[in-house]
């Protein structure tokens, strides 16, 4: 039996952050499934449908995708070229991971800025059925990329050392 290191405040905070993020994704999935499922049932059995159900399903799916992108990043579930880094010498592979990390952080920052700008411009546009300000829908982009940034920064040290090997991510 191996002794495990005591949990630090930062690891507890990270665990809480990941759990809260995952709970939001699950909540969005539940809202989407219940709304769309209810609407399908209504259409099937009463030949009527809720005029707002399609919008709720669509906008919830958008939010769910952006909220879940950081969790997928932690698991190495995004598209990656891991064969290249495993073929390179360790020092070169580490340098490549540093470059990837810098490029990702830059891209995330640009997308936060673009998403915020887009959401700001859409504040007076209303959705067709819900009459919801479209800025709430478009805010999924800067929020999602902000979460991606936090997730990336939390795993950055481990990523630089080891990459995102499936066996190694269990320790993250």
């Amino acid at each position: 039996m191996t002794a495990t290191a005591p949990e630090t405040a930062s690891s507890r905070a990270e665990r809480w952050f990941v759990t809260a993020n995952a709970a939001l994704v699950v909540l969005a999935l539940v809202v989407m499934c219940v709304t769309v499922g209810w609407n399908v049932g209504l259409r099937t059995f009463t030949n009527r449908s809720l005029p707002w159900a399609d919008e709720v399903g669509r906008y919830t799916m958008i939010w769910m995708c952006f909220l879940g992108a950081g969790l997928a990043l932690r698991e190495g579930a995004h598209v990656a070229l891991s064969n290249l880094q495993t073929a390179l010498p360790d020092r070169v592979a580490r340098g490549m991971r540093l470059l990837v990390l810098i490029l990702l952080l830059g891209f995330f920052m640009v997308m936060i800025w673009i998403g915020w700008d887009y959401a700001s411009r859409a504040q007076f546009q209303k959705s067709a059925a819900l009459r919801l300000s479209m800025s709430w829908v478009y805010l999924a982009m800067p929020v999602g990329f902000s979460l991606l940034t936090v997730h990336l920064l939390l795993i950055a040290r481990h990523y630089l050392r080891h990459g995102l090997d499936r066996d190694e991510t269990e320790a993250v």
Side-chain angles (χ1 to χ4, degrees), residues 55-56 58-64 66-67 115-127 130-144:
E55 278 187 12
V56 169
R58 183 179 317 119
Y59 300 153
T60 306
M61 183 172 23
I62 290 168
W63 269 94
M64 184 177 56
F66 278 106
L67 291 174
W116 185 261
D117 182 54
Y118 204 69
S120 299
R121 292 172 190 252
Q123 65 183 335
F124 300 111
Q125 181 183 356
K126 303 281 185 199
S127 68
L130 292 171
R131 306 303 301 156
L132 176 73
S133 171
M134 290 303 290
S135 62
W136 288 106
V137 177
Y138 298 138
L139 276 174
M141 187 172 159
V143 169

Side-chain angles (χ1 to χ4, degrees), residues 14-47:
E14 182 176 354
R15 190 167 36 88
W16 179 89
F17 173 71
V18 171
T19 302
N21 192 174
L24 287 173
V25 172
V26 169
L27 178 65
L29 179 63
V30 168
V31 168
M32 184 181 73
C33 289
V34 167
T35 304
V36 172
W38 187 264
N39 201 38
V40 167
L42 277 175
R43 259 193 312 241
T44 302
F45 297 115
T46 67
N47 210 21

Side-chain angles (χ1 to χ4, degrees), residues 10-166:
S10 64
S11 62
R12 278 193 303 272
E14 182 176 354
R15 190 167 36 88
W16 179 89
F17 173 71
V18 171
T19 302
N21 192 174
L24 287 173
V25 172
V26 169
L27 178 65
L29 179 63
V30 168
V31 168
M32 184 181 73
C33 289
V34 167
T35 304
V36 172
W38 187 264
N39 201 38
V40 167
L42 277 175
R43 259 193 312 241
T44 302
F45 297 115
T46 67
N47 210 21
R48 295 176 183 252
S49 66
L50 303 169
W52 47 266
D54 290 338
E55 278 187 12
V56 169
R58 183 179 317 119
Y59 300 153
T60 306
M61 183 172 23
I62 290 168
W63 269 94
M64 184 177 56
C65 290
F66 278 106
L67 291 174
L71 297 170
L73 177 77
R74 293 181 80 85
E75 296 295 320
H78 291 285
V79 174
L81 300 174
S82 58
N83 288 346
L84 177 60
Q85 79 167 317
T86 55
L88 295 172
D90 189 47
R91 190 172 184 166
V92 177
R94 206 173 276 177
M96 186 181 75
R97 287 193 296 266
L98 178 62
L99 177 64
V100 167
L101 186 69
I102 292 168
L103 290 173
L104 283 175
L105 286 172
F107 176 70
F108 294 169
M109 294 297 127
V110 168
M111 295 308 288
I112 291 168
W113 180 76
I114 289 171
W116 185 261
D117 182 54
Y118 204 69
S120 299
R121 292 172 190 252
Q123 65 183 335
F124 300 111
Q125 181 183 356
K126 303 281 185 199
S127 68
L130 292 171
R131 306 303 301 156
L132 176 73
S133 171
M134 290 303 290
S135 62
W136 288 106
V137 177
Y138 298 138
L139 276 174
M141 187 172 159
V143 169
F145 276 101
S146 296
L147 289 172
L148 267 164
T149 302
V150 172
H151 282 290
L152 184 61
L153 291 173
L154 288 171
I155 66 169
R157 182 182 304 158
H158 181 81
Y159 172 70
L160 286 173
R161 279 194 219 133
H162 309 289
L164 285 177
D165 298 332
R166 295 305 264 161

